[in-house]
Amino acid sequence: MDKYAVWGNPIAQSKSPQIHRHFAQQTQQNLDYVAILGDEEQFEQQLLDFFAQGAQGCNITAPFKERAFKLAQQHSERCLSAESCNTLKKLADGTLFADNTDGAGLVSDLQRLNWLKANQNILILGAGGATKGVLLPLLQAQQNILITNRTFSKAQELAAKFSQYGNIQAVELEHIPVQKFDLIINATSTGLQGKTLNINPQILQLATAAYDMQYSKESDTPFIALCKQQGVKQTCDGFGMLVGQAAHAFYLWSGVMPDVEPLLMLV
Protein backbone atom coordinates (compact mmCIF):
# COMPACT_ATOMS: atom_id res chain seq x y z
CA MET A 1 0.00 0.00 0.00
CA ASP A 2 1.44 3.38 -1.02
CA LYS A 3 2.01 5.73 1.90
CA TYR A 4 1.06 9.45 1.80
CA ALA A 5 0.37 12.21 4.32
CA VAL A 6 -0.34 15.87 4.84
CA TRP A 7 2.06 17.78 7.08
CA GLY A 8 1.21 20.95 8.99
CA ASN A 9 1.03 22.58 12.40
CA PRO A 10 -1.81 22.68 13.41
CA ILE A 11 -3.15 19.80 11.33
CA ALA A 12 -6.19 18.30 13.12
CA GLN A 13 -8.53 20.49 11.04
CA SER A 14 -7.22 19.19 7.70
CA LYS A 15 -9.73 17.67 5.29
CA SER A 16 -6.97 16.25 3.06
CA PRO A 17 -7.14 12.67 4.44
CA GLN A 18 -10.88 12.40 3.69
CA ILE A 19 -10.43 13.97 0.24
CA HIS A 20 -7.57 11.68 -0.81
CA ARG A 21 -9.22 8.56 0.58
CA HIS A 22 -12.27 9.44 -1.50
CA PHE A 23 -10.11 9.92 -4.60
CA ALA A 24 -8.36 6.58 -3.98
CA GLN A 25 -11.68 4.77 -3.64
CA GLN A 26 -13.07 6.47 -6.74
CA THR A 27 -10.03 5.60 -8.90
CA GLN A 28 -9.34 2.20 -7.29
CA GLN A 29 -5.89 3.22 -6.05
CA ASN A 30 -4.49 1.48 -2.98
CA LEU A 31 -3.07 4.13 -0.69
CA ASP A 32 -2.76 5.03 2.97
CA TYR A 33 -3.07 8.80 3.63
CA VAL A 34 -2.82 10.34 7.12
CA ALA A 35 -2.39 13.77 8.73
CA ILE A 36 0.91 14.33 10.57
CA LEU A 37 1.69 17.13 13.02
CA GLY A 38 5.02 18.61 11.97
CA ASP A 39 7.48 19.70 14.63
CA GLU A 40 8.65 23.30 14.24
CA GLU A 41 12.23 22.33 15.14
CA GLN A 42 12.55 18.89 13.54
CA PHE A 43 10.32 19.20 10.44
CA GLU A 44 13.01 18.56 7.81
CA GLN A 45 14.31 15.46 9.58
CA GLN A 46 10.77 14.18 10.15
CA LEU A 47 10.03 14.55 6.45
CA LEU A 48 13.24 12.84 5.34
CA ASP A 49 12.52 9.98 7.76
CA PHE A 50 8.99 9.69 6.35
CA PHE A 51 10.32 9.21 2.82
CA ALA A 52 13.15 6.93 4.01
CA GLN A 53 10.44 4.66 5.45
CA GLY A 54 8.93 4.16 1.99
CA ALA A 55 6.47 7.03 1.55
CA GLN A 56 5.72 8.01 -2.06
CA GLY A 57 4.50 11.57 -1.58
CA CYS A 58 2.88 14.11 0.69
CA ASN A 59 1.06 17.41 0.90
CA ILE A 60 2.45 20.35 2.86
CA THR A 61 0.43 23.07 4.55
CA ALA A 62 1.22 25.99 6.87
CA PRO A 63 3.74 26.75 8.21
CA PHE A 64 6.04 24.41 6.27
CA LYS A 65 5.51 25.24 2.57
CA GLU A 66 8.68 27.30 2.17
CA ARG A 67 10.78 24.83 4.16
CA ALA A 68 9.58 21.89 2.03
CA PHE A 69 10.38 23.94 -1.08
CA LYS A 70 13.99 24.32 0.05
CA LEU A 71 14.29 20.62 0.93
CA ALA A 72 13.36 19.37 -2.57
CA GLN A 73 15.96 18.78 -5.28
CA GLN A 74 13.64 19.40 -8.26
CA HIS A 75 10.75 21.84 -8.74
CA SER A 76 7.95 22.56 -11.21
CA GLU A 77 7.83 26.02 -12.81
CA ARG A 78 4.73 27.00 -10.82
CA CYS A 79 6.48 25.86 -7.64
CA LEU A 80 9.57 27.93 -8.44
CA SER A 81 7.46 31.02 -9.13
CA ALA A 82 5.56 30.58 -5.84
CA GLU A 83 8.76 29.81 -3.90
CA SER A 84 6.68 27.42 -1.82
CA CYS A 85 5.50 23.84 -2.16
CA ASN A 86 2.27 22.10 -1.21
CA THR A 87 3.05 18.73 -2.84
CA LEU A 88 6.12 16.48 -2.78
CA LYS A 89 6.70 13.35 -4.86
CA LYS A 90 9.51 10.86 -4.39
CA LEU A 91 11.10 10.14 -7.77
CA ALA A 92 12.54 6.80 -8.91
CA ASP A 93 16.08 7.90 -8.03
CA GLY A 94 15.00 8.81 -4.48
CA THR A 95 15.10 12.59 -4.95
CA LEU A 96 12.15 14.81 -4.03
CA PHE A 97 10.14 16.71 -6.67
CA ALA A 98 8.24 19.75 -5.41
CA ASP A 99 5.08 21.16 -6.95
CA ASN A 100 2.54 23.82 -6.02
CA THR A 101 -0.96 22.81 -7.08
CA ASP A 102 -2.80 25.68 -5.35
CA GLY A 103 -3.07 27.80 -8.50
CA ALA A 104 -4.13 24.83 -10.62
CA GLY A 105 -6.78 24.08 -7.99
CA LEU A 106 -8.09 27.65 -8.14
CA VAL A 107 -8.10 27.77 -11.95
CA SER A 108 -9.88 24.42 -12.25
CA ASP A 109 -12.52 25.54 -9.73
CA LEU A 110 -13.08 28.82 -11.61
CA GLN A 111 -13.45 26.77 -14.81
CA ARG A 112 -15.95 24.51 -13.06
CA LEU A 113 -17.96 27.60 -12.11
CA ASN A 114 -17.65 28.89 -15.69
CA TRP A 115 -16.04 32.05 -14.31
CA LEU A 116 -12.83 31.90 -16.34
CA LYS A 117 -12.69 33.44 -19.79
CA ALA A 118 -9.66 35.00 -21.49
CA ASN A 119 -8.80 38.67 -20.88
CA GLN A 120 -10.93 39.16 -17.80
CA ASN A 121 -10.08 41.85 -15.26
CA ILE A 122 -9.38 40.30 -11.86
CA LEU A 123 -8.77 42.14 -8.60
CA ILE A 124 -6.81 40.14 -6.02
CA LEU A 125 -6.91 41.22 -2.39
CA GLY A 126 -3.71 40.27 -0.57
CA ALA A 127 -0.07 39.76 -1.57
CA GLY A 128 1.05 36.94 0.71
CA GLY A 129 1.88 33.30 0.08
CA ALA A 130 -1.65 32.39 -1.00
CA THR A 131 -1.51 34.97 -3.80
CA LYS A 132 2.01 34.01 -4.82
CA GLY A 133 0.89 30.42 -5.31
CA VAL A 134 -1.88 31.24 -7.80
CA LEU A 135 -0.50 34.09 -9.93
CA LEU A 136 1.33 32.04 -12.57
CA PRO A 137 -1.64 29.74 -13.39
CA LEU A 138 -3.99 32.76 -13.53
CA LEU A 139 -1.66 34.67 -15.85
CA GLN A 140 -1.22 31.56 -18.00
CA ALA A 141 -5.03 31.54 -18.27
CA GLN A 142 -4.70 35.03 -19.86
CA GLN A 143 -6.19 37.02 -17.00
CA ASN A 144 -5.46 40.74 -16.43
CA ILE A 145 -4.62 41.08 -12.76
CA LEU A 146 -4.69 44.04 -10.41
CA ILE A 147 -3.25 43.23 -7.00
CA THR A 148 -3.69 45.21 -3.80
CA ASN A 149 -2.47 44.78 -0.24
CA ARG A 150 -2.41 46.66 3.05
CA THR A 151 1.38 46.90 2.69
CA PHE A 152 1.60 48.29 -0.85
CA SER A 153 5.28 47.41 -1.32
CA LYS A 154 4.43 43.67 -1.13
CA ALA A 155 1.90 44.05 -3.95
CA GLN A 156 4.49 45.98 -5.98
CA GLU A 157 7.09 43.24 -5.46
CA LEU A 158 4.71 40.53 -6.70
CA ALA A 159 3.61 42.58 -9.70
CA ALA A 160 7.24 43.17 -10.68
CA LYS A 161 8.17 39.50 -10.21
CA PHE A 162 5.25 38.12 -12.26
CA SER A 163 5.10 40.80 -14.99
CA GLN A 164 7.19 38.51 -17.24
CA TYR A 165 4.24 36.09 -17.38
CA GLY A 166 1.43 38.48 -18.29
CA ASN A 167 -0.52 41.62 -17.48
CA ILE A 168 -0.27 42.31 -13.76
CA GLN A 169 -0.17 45.61 -11.85
CA ALA A 170 -0.25 46.70 -8.23
CA VAL A 171 -2.49 49.36 -6.71
CA GLU A 172 -2.77 50.90 -3.26
CA LEU A 173 -5.78 49.75 -1.23
CA GLU A 174 -7.16 53.29 -1.08
CA HIS A 175 -6.74 53.85 -4.83
CA ILE A 176 -8.41 50.79 -6.37
CA PRO A 177 -10.21 52.16 -9.44
CA VAL A 178 -13.99 52.17 -9.19
CA GLN A 179 -14.66 49.97 -12.21
CA LYS A 180 -16.32 46.70 -13.09
CA PHE A 181 -14.13 43.70 -12.23
CA ASP A 182 -15.09 40.35 -13.73
CA LEU A 183 -13.85 38.69 -10.56
CA ILE A 184 -12.60 39.76 -7.14
CA ILE A 185 -10.53 37.15 -5.28
CA ASN A 186 -9.90 37.39 -1.55
CA ALA A 187 -6.48 35.86 -0.85
CA THR A 188 -6.07 37.40 2.62
CA SER A 189 -6.44 35.51 5.90
CA THR A 190 -8.47 38.32 7.51
CA GLY A 191 -11.55 36.08 7.54
CA LEU A 192 -9.90 33.88 10.17
CA GLN A 193 -10.27 36.83 12.55
CA GLY A 194 -13.81 37.48 11.34
CA LYS A 195 -12.69 40.56 9.39
CA THR A 196 -12.43 41.79 5.79
CA LEU A 197 -10.17 44.26 4.01
CA ASN A 198 -11.55 47.78 4.04
CA ILE A 199 -12.19 48.55 0.37
CA ASN A 200 -14.60 50.97 -1.30
CA PRO A 201 -18.04 49.23 -1.32
CA GLN A 202 -18.72 50.59 -4.82
CA ILE A 203 -16.01 48.26 -6.14
CA LEU A 204 -17.91 45.26 -4.78
CA GLN A 205 -21.24 46.60 -6.05
CA LEU A 206 -19.86 46.67 -9.61
CA ALA A 207 -18.22 43.21 -9.47
CA THR A 208 -19.57 40.34 -11.57
CA ALA A 209 -18.31 37.61 -9.20
CA ALA A 210 -16.40 37.19 -5.92
CA TYR A 211 -14.29 34.25 -4.74
CA ASP A 212 -12.81 33.68 -1.29
CA MET A 213 -9.83 31.32 -1.01
CA GLN A 214 -10.90 30.68 2.57
CA TYR A 215 -13.89 28.41 3.10
CA SER A 216 -16.44 27.80 5.83
CA LYS A 217 -18.74 24.81 6.11
CA GLU A 218 -21.14 26.34 8.63
CA SER A 219 -21.82 29.76 7.12
CA ASP A 220 -20.54 32.33 4.63
CA THR A 221 -17.00 33.60 5.16
CA PRO A 222 -16.88 37.29 6.24
CA PHE A 223 -15.77 38.28 2.71
CA ILE A 224 -18.58 36.35 0.98
CA ALA A 225 -21.11 37.76 3.47
CA LEU A 226 -19.88 41.30 2.70
CA CYS A 227 -20.07 40.71 -1.05
CA LYS A 228 -23.63 39.43 -0.78
CA GLN A 229 -24.57 42.49 1.28
CA GLN A 230 -23.23 44.68 -1.53
CA GLY A 231 -25.29 42.82 -4.12
CA VAL A 232 -22.69 40.57 -5.76
CA LYS A 233 -24.80 37.89 -7.46
CA GLN A 234 -22.13 35.22 -8.00
CA THR A 235 -20.08 34.22 -4.95
CA CYS A 236 -18.11 31.14 -3.97
CA ASP A 237 -15.76 30.13 -1.16
CA GLY A 238 -12.55 28.14 -1.53
CA PHE A 239 -13.68 24.59 -0.81
CA GLY A 240 -13.61 23.78 -4.53
CA MET A 241 -10.06 25.14 -4.70
CA LEU A 242 -9.07 22.88 -1.78
CA VAL A 243 -10.51 19.84 -3.55
CA GLY A 244 -9.00 20.99 -6.87
CA GLN A 245 -5.46 21.36 -5.54
CA ALA A 246 -5.80 17.91 -3.94
CA ALA A 247 -6.94 16.45 -7.28
CA HIS A 248 -3.89 17.89 -9.06
CA ALA A 249 -1.60 16.51 -6.31
CA PHE A 250 -3.29 13.10 -6.65
CA TYR A 251 -2.71 13.27 -10.40
CA LEU A 252 1.00 14.06 -9.89
CA TRP A 253 1.37 10.95 -7.72
CA SER A 254 -0.83 8.47 -9.58
CA GLY A 255 -1.18 9.72 -13.15
CA VAL A 256 -4.97 9.56 -12.68
CA MET A 257 -7.11 12.73 -12.45
CA PRO A 258 -10.02 12.14 -10.06
CA ASP A 259 -13.49 13.62 -10.48
CA VAL A 260 -14.03 16.43 -7.96
CA GLU A 261 -17.79 16.76 -8.45
CA PRO A 262 -18.85 13.89 -6.13
CA LEU A 263 -16.82 15.43 -3.28
CA LEU A 264 -18.27 18.90 -3.82
CA MET A 265 -21.77 17.41 -3.68
CA LEU A 266 -21.06 15.99 -0.20
CA VAL A 267 -20.54 19.42 1.34
Side-chain angles (χ1 to χ4, degrees):
M1 185 179 283
D2 291 338
K3 187 176 173 185
Y4 297 89
V6 57
W7 292 80
N9 189 337
I11 198 60
Q13 80 290 352
S14 176
K15 298 212 170 19
S16 292
Q18 299 100 294
I19 292 171
H20 282 280
R21 286 168 196 159
H22 183 96
F23 287 161
Q25 187 176 17
Q26 179 196 116
T27 60
Q28 299 178 318
Q29 302 284 314
N30 193 16
L31 65 82
D32 177 41
Y33 189 110
V34 296
I36 301 177
L37 181 68
D39 184 271
E40 294 274 6
E41 303 293 323
Q42 303 294 324
F43 169 69
E44 284 81 2
Q45 191 57 53
Q46 281 184 308
L47 199 58
L48 291 173
D49 290 345
F50 174 71
F51 280 105
Q53 291 157 12
Q56 299 300 305
C58 67
N59 291 123
I60 308 290
T61 188
F64 300 122
K65 288 186 176 186
E66 288 80 13
R67 288 167 69 172
F69 172 83
K70 291 174 183 172
L71 198 63
Q73 291 89 3
Q74 296 187 50
H75 306 79
S76 67
E77 184 186 14
R78 59 195 182 191
C79 188
L80 286 171
S81 70
E83 297 177 334
S84 77
C85 145
N86 78 334
T87 305
L88 287 171
K89 178 181 180 178
K90 186 178 181 180
L91 300 179
D93 64 359
T95 58
L96 295 180
F97 176 79
D99 198 0
N100 190 313
T101 65
D102 287 331
L106 173 62
V107 166
S108 61
D109 199 39
L110 294 176
Q111 289 169 333
R112 178 186 67 85
L113 294 163
N114 200 27
W115 288 6
L116 204 64
K117 299 171 183 67
N119 297 311
Q120 291 186 136
N121 294 319
I122 296 182
L123 173 65
I124 298 182
L125 309 176
T131 300
K132 215 178 194 181
V134 303
L135 284 178
L136 179 57
L138 283 172
L139 289 167
Q140 288 174 332
Q142 297 177 281
Q143 303 303 296
N144 304 310
I145 295 174
L146 191 61
I147 182 172
T148 191
N149 193 60
R150 277 182 294 199
T151 306
F152 180 50
S153 59
K154 285 189 176 180
Q156 286 179 303
E157 283 169 24
L158 282 194
K161 176 183 165 93
F162 284 88
S163 60
Q164 62 182 307
Y165 300 110
N167 184 9
I168 180 169
Q169 296 177 319
V171 67
E172 291 180 276
L173 200 55
E174 301 78 21
H175 297 136
I176 300 169
V178 178
Q179 67 178 60
K180 181 180 178 181
F181 288 99
D182 298 292
L183 177 62
I184 300 177
I185 298 174
N186 177 41
T188 72
S189 58
T190 52
L192 297 175
Q193 293 87 45
K195 299 175 182 176
T196 58
L197 276 192
N198 186 23
I199 66 170
N200 185 336
Q202 284 182 285
I203 295 163
L204 297 177
Q205 290 160 14
L206 291 169
T208 302
Y211 192 97
D212 194 348
M213 285 196 203
Q214 300 283 325
Y215 70 92
S216 172
K217 195 171 180 180
E218 289 75 32
S219 60
D220 289 334
T221 65
F223 176 71
I224 295 297
L226 175 64
C227 289
K228 286 182 176 179
Q229 284 169 18
Q230 296 300 332
V232 182
K233 295 289 191 292
Q234 299 181 84
T235 60
C236 188
D237 72 12
F239 186 73
M241 176 182 171
L242 174 74
V243 177
Q245 63 80 26
H248 283 274
F250 190 88
Y251 176 72
L252 176 68
W253 298 327
S254 67
V256 180
M257 179 59 81
D259 182 5
V260 301
E261 288 292 344
L263 257 175
L264 298 175
M265 305 266 295
L266 293 174
V267 177

